[in-house]
Amino acid sequence: MSRIYFHSPSGDAAVLGSERAHLGTVTHEASIGLLVGIVGYPELRRVLHPASMAYSALDHPGGGRMLSLALGTFGDSQGAFVHNGKRVDHWHLLLNTLIQQSGDSMRLAARVHAQCEVHGYVEGADRAWLADLIEGARRDGVFRAEMGWESVIELLRARDDEPVVMSYSVCDSFPNPGATTWEPADAEDEDREAWYQLSHDEQWATGLVWLRDEANGRRQLQPDTWTDFGFGEGLTATDLADSLTQQAAA
């Protein structure tokens, strides 16, 4: 069975993979509702690309449900929305809309769902803060009982001097030879087999340098950017609605 893992140098915790599916469904459906509420269902055609599956879904008798499917995992590989004449990644826009318009529990659901595979992480000083958010999501019912969240809370509260890094069991765990600043001495070591000979501490040290690098810094969950974090270009449904207002005023 799949798992969402929370890794630290001194220990790990895990959440059942069915919770990942739950978070994906909850965040997606909530973001679709926000999209329709902010832009307005009759206006969606004006912000969707004519070649997108979502645009065609509006003509279907079950338009709302078909729109959700078209903007989901099996929808367009290219961006379904258009903003300032450019196609926009719809997954990013939906996630950003949820983060902008929701409370902490749904924000956390969006961040865990979107970033567990790419090693979203929290620094040691923010572990208690993240534990508080998880407890809040449990109280709100966004995170479900008997999924393993209590073990994550226990891990986070155990200390404050180590980062905690997420991974998803169908992808690479952390640390791993693809997420490191370490380079093999042998150029023929294409699979980086020598990395596995490094000590536990060396693997974590080189992995954390990579993770904290400026190019990868947007993986960090932290209080300072919590409410205004944005994926991709940071666009939300509000930006789509504003563009329609500007067009009407032009």
Side-chain angles (χ1 to χ4, degrees), residues 174-244:
F174 188 90
N176 67 74
T180 177
T181 56
W182 172 87
E183 292 291 341
D186 184 351
E188 296 184 2
D189 186 8
E190 296 181 359
D191 296 328
R192 298 193 167 196
E193 290 296 328
W195 185 87
Y196 295 99
Q197 305 305 314
L198 297 176
S199 69
H200 175 81
D201 289 345
E202 287 177 303
Q203 290 177 351
W204 266 95
T206 58
L208 288 175
V209 171
W210 174 87
L211 194 61
R212 290 165 172 158
D213 183 86
E214 183 177 355
N216 299 297
R218 295 184 63 77
R219 289 176 169 86
Q220 184 179 356
L221 283 69
Q222 56 183 325
D224 291 349
T225 59
W226 185 241
T227 60
D228 58 1
F229 179 88
F231 291 96
E233 298 179 20
L235 294 172
T236 72
T238 301
D239 294 300
L240 299 181
D242 288 347
S243 69
L244 295 179

Side-chain angles (χ1 to χ4, degrees), residues 4-8 13 15 23 104-113 115-116 119-139 143 148-160 162-167 219-224 226:
I4 302 172
Y5 287 108
F6 291 77
H7 306 282
S8 78
V15 171
L23 297 182
D104 285 340
S105 294
M106 289 299 286
R107 288 189 184 111
L108 183 57
R111 295 292 297 273
V112 171
H113 170 55
Q115 294 187 292
C116 64
H119 309 313
Y121 72 101
V122 65
E123 292 287 3
D126 295 326
R127 285 169 63 147
W129 164 78
L130 182 58
D132 288 343
L133 290 182
I134 294 173
E135 288 178 342
R138 282 286 297 111
R139 287 193 300 270
F143 288 6
W149 290 113
E150 285 68 27
S151 69
V152 178
I153 293 168
E154 182 179 359
L155 172 71
L156 290 167
R157 295 203 185 282
R159 56 196 301 168
D160 61 4
E162 293 179 346
V164 173
V165 186
M166 290 187 288
S167 73
R219 289 176 169 86
Q220 184 179 356
L221 283 69
Q222 56 183 325
D224 291 349
W226 185 241

Side-chain angles (χ1 to χ4, degrees), residues 9-200:
S10 59
D12 300 337
V15 171
L16 295 180
S18 56
E19 189 74 341
R20 171 80 189 285
H22 164 70
L23 297 182
T25 299
V26 166
T27 55
H28 181 67
E29 295 302 331
S31 66
I32 294 296
L34 289 167
L35 168 72
V36 174
I38 293 169
V39 176
Y41 193 84
E43 302 298 320
L44 284 175
R45 196 178 297 275
R46 298 173 58 195
V47 297
L48 287 167
H49 195 281
S52 69
M53 293 173 61
Y55 188 93
S56 301
L58 298 177
D59 295 324
H60 194 277
R65 184 59 190 149
M66 294 303 295
L67 176 69
S68 177
L69 292 172
L71 292 174
T73 305
F74 301 105
D76 297 281
S77 58
Q78 295 181 324
F81 296 113
V82 177
H83 184 259
N84 290 339
K86 294 169 52 181
R87 294 189 79 157
V88 175
D89 187 308
H90 48 275
W91 193 47
H92 286 168
L93 185 139
L94 292 172
L95 286 168
N96 293 342
T97 300
L98 190 66
I99 290 169
Q100 179 194 71
Q101 298 290 331
S102 300
D104 285 340
S105 294
M106 289 299 286
R107 288 189 184 111
L108 183 57
R111 295 292 297 273
V112 171
H113 170 55
Q115 294 187 292
C116 64
E117 292 186 15
V118 297
H119 309 313
Y121 72 101
V122 65
E123 292 287 3
D126 295 326
R127 285 169 63 147
W129 164 78
L130 182 58
D132 288 343
L133 290 182
I134 294 173
E135 288 178 342
R138 282 286 297 111
R139 287 193 300 270
D140 292 343
V142 176
F143 288 6
R144 299 178 298 176
E146 300 181 5
M147 292 291 113
W149 290 113
E150 285 68 27
S151 69
V152 178
I153 293 168
E154 182 179 359
L155 172 71
L156 290 167
R157 295 203 185 282
R159 56 196 301 168
D160 61 4
D161 60 342
E162 293 179 346
V164 173
V165 186
M166 290 187 288
S167 73
Y168 188 52
S169 59
V170 301
C171 305
D172 289 327
S173 62
F174 188 90
N176 67 74
T180 177
T181 56
W182 172 87
E183 292 291 341
D186 184 351
E188 296 184 2
D189 186 8
E190 296 181 359
D191 296 328
R192 298 193 167 196
E193 290 296 328
W195 185 87
Y196 295 99
Q197 305 305 314
L198 297 176
S199 69
H200 175 81

